[in-house]
Amino acid sequence: MKYSKEAKPERAGGGGAGARAVPVALMLLLLCGFSFYLGGIYSTGRTFTFSSTTTSIIPIVSTTKQEGSAIALAIARNGDDDVEFSECPADYQDYTPCTDPKRWRRYGNYRLSFMERHCPPPPERAVCLVPPPRGYKPPIRWPKSKDQCWYRNVPYDWINSQKSNQHWLRKDGDRFTFPGGGTMFPNGVGAYVDLMADLVPGMKDGSVRTALDTGCGVASWGGDLLARNILTVSLAPRDNHEAQVQFALERGIPAILGIISTQRLPIPSASMDMAHCSRCLIPWTEFGGLYLMEIQRVLRPGGFWVLSGPPINYENRWHGWNTTVEAQKADFDRLKKMLASMCFRLYNKKGDIAVWQKSLDAGCYDKLTPVTTPAKCDDSVDADAAWYVPMRSCVTAPSPKSRGKALPKWPQRLGVAPERVSVVPGGSGSAMKHDDGKWKAATKHYKALLPALGSDKVRNVMDMSTVYGGFAASLVKDPVWVMNVVSSYGPNSLGVVYDRGLIGTNHDWCEAFSTYPRTYDLLHADGLFTAESHRCEMKFVLVEMDRILRPTGYAIIRDNPYFLDSVASIAKGMRWTCDRHDTENKENEKEKLLICHKQLWSAKKA
């Protein structure tokens, strides 16, 4: 056979020309068809993103017709086929992946650091549906839930049996009741907070709006403050028996899993008007006052730190603390000295309660330097950075702009753009105002589609991807509270959220959230998969949403329509029912809504 000058001979052992004709023709047809398909997509302003683990190709709509580049989206790695998830074992009913007692032995005991977040690597993740306890039923509705919850929903008797004399809770037939007692609340939490409000008048006039309760127990303190328009983040570590945070959330009171140990709390600096410890057993004067420095970081200038329990009122209480009066006096003197060196002053004291105030005086902070004791923090680490950031043995000085200035009182501060808005990339007062207007209209639309929102059927709400807290602001008059989540990988706008009188936390949605299963009635995700799916597998995020959502709860997912197709497919495998809707702007084809309802199901019997 003769070949032309440009032709190449057959490879040794290869077939003849007839054998190759069909594959070559098919290849040409496929290439032509694919090129024609791409041309059609590009002509409509869409582009593709590929991934080595992608099983489907999803067209992505550009942000505007004029933009030459598409939105930086990754592809849903689960494909469009229906996915079905198995049930987790029955002993996973209170599974908290990143604070799992079964894994604590892997970590050191130093300062109880094993109780901090330690998330399992992807191969060890439990990709299954966490079953509810046997006999679970929808929680008692707010405000009755503040005082009672179903026993079968949180079937743990340890607190009831071990602390029955302190009246934290009481088992009464098929439910727990919460009489408002506590170690330092002999006359009930209401009387305790009344005394505190006498010592801190700002609790009565809107000056104190945000609060932190460390070692919160069953969050009775935070629950009482809700009626006083003070919003509290109640904090307690995961425990094998007590389930403190689970009780708090079952009651409809804000709470997260956490511990003051080696890492900063996932809260920005100067965010809290008040911090509180009622015999929380935190060794405040150890480690050079490191834990006090973390409280100093999160308190606003002019904010209050309230302590009851050892060593306060040691003269009358020492004999019940397994110590001596001399030791308690020395501890109290050491505490006062440390706080004074960190620019606190003893503001008020009566009975079992002592109150310190963080100074507004710039002169105190100016005396501190990186070599004084305590040291002044340098600028090498952002004071607001708080996601897996180690605590530092230094005092955080207020910014020059905030010194001597107090935020507007609540509720006026909700609508006032704080100074910190200018620190957020692209942030401004007008941007925040526009965001508020957007979410006011969106929430009105949501309520038309989901009448449960705004009723007593929805109490615990999470905004999974907030910027300024506009969605939470739109719900402020409803019987809900909102946990605002700001991405740890995006612009850190969480300080703005707190300055407005709202609460929230930093978080990375490639990991599990710091809460128990079945703790939120509604999850709101605005563009979450658009923003995060290039880092996180969609199925992991959705299975985590299923873990923290209560049975009969809802999810409102607002995103690119092409992602919603994959979300709906995965949600079906999680036993959710979902309906697709237009947003409040029906002409907007670049984002749609998926409103999903989680079903109540019973675990299969072993």
Side-chain angles (χ1 to χ4, degrees), residues 97 120 128 209 214 473 511:
C128 54
R209 166 62 180 173
T214 55
E511 300 180 357

Side-chain angles (χ1 to χ4, degrees), residues 438 526 558-561 583 588-593:
K438 168 189 172 181
D526 173 36
R558 183 186 185 109
D559 218 309
N560 185 287
T583 65
N588 184 3
E589 294 299 323
K590 297 178 182 179
E591 64 175 1
K592 297 295 180 180
L593 297 175

Side-chain angles (χ1 to χ4, degrees), residues 164-314:
S164 58
N165 63 320
Q166 297 173 12
H167 308 295
W168 287 24
L169 54 78
R170 180 173 57 245
K171 189 172 183 297
D172 186 8
D174 62 353
R175 67 193 69 194
F176 281 121
T177 58
F178 300 89
T183 308
M184 302 307 300
F185 312 156
N187 300 315
V189 68
Y192 176 82
V193 177
D194 285 341
L195 173 59
M196 192 179 299
D198 290 338
L199 299 178
V200 186
M203 294 176 65
K204 300 176 181 179
D205 66 3
S207 298
V208 174
R209 166 62 180 173
T210 55
L212 172 69
D213 189 14
T214 55
C216 65
V218 294
S220 293
W221 187 75
D224 184 87
L225 290 178
L226 288 169
R228 305 172 194 248
N229 284 320
I230 298 174
L231 200 52
T232 304
V233 176
S234 295
L235 181 79
R238 172 63 201 260
D239 189 277
N240 269 325
H241 307 289
E242 295 185 32
Q244 298 171 85
V245 165
Q246 195 171 18
F247 276 118
L249 289 159
E250 186 70 17
R251 299 175 68 187
I253 300 171
I256 59 173
L257 284 167
I259 185 172
I260 298 181
S261 177
T262 68
Q263 306 287 325
R264 286 179 174 179
L265 299 175
I267 298 169
S269 67
S271 55
M272 296 293 183
D273 298 310
M274 175 182 287
H276 171 253
C277 164
S278 173
R279 202 174 185 186
C280 58
L281 304 181
I282 296 174
W284 296 111
T285 57
E286 293 184 18
F287 312 111
L290 182 64
Y291 301 146
L292 288 173
M293 293 176 190
E294 178 63 359
I295 295 297
Q296 191 272 344
R297 184 185 71 85
V298 301
L299 272 180
R300 303 187 193 284
F304 300 96
W305 186 57
V306 182
L307 178 65
S308 64
I312 309 304
N313 198 15
Y314 67 88

Side-chain angles (χ1 to χ4, degrees), residues 442-464:
T443 299
K444 182 179 179 180
H445 183 60
Y446 291 168
K447 289 180 177 179
L449 299 173
L450 184 62
L453 181 57
S455 75
D456 61 1
K457 293 182 180 179
V458 172
R459 171 61 183 169
N460 301 352
V461 177
M462 178 186 289
D463 192 0
M464 299 174 67

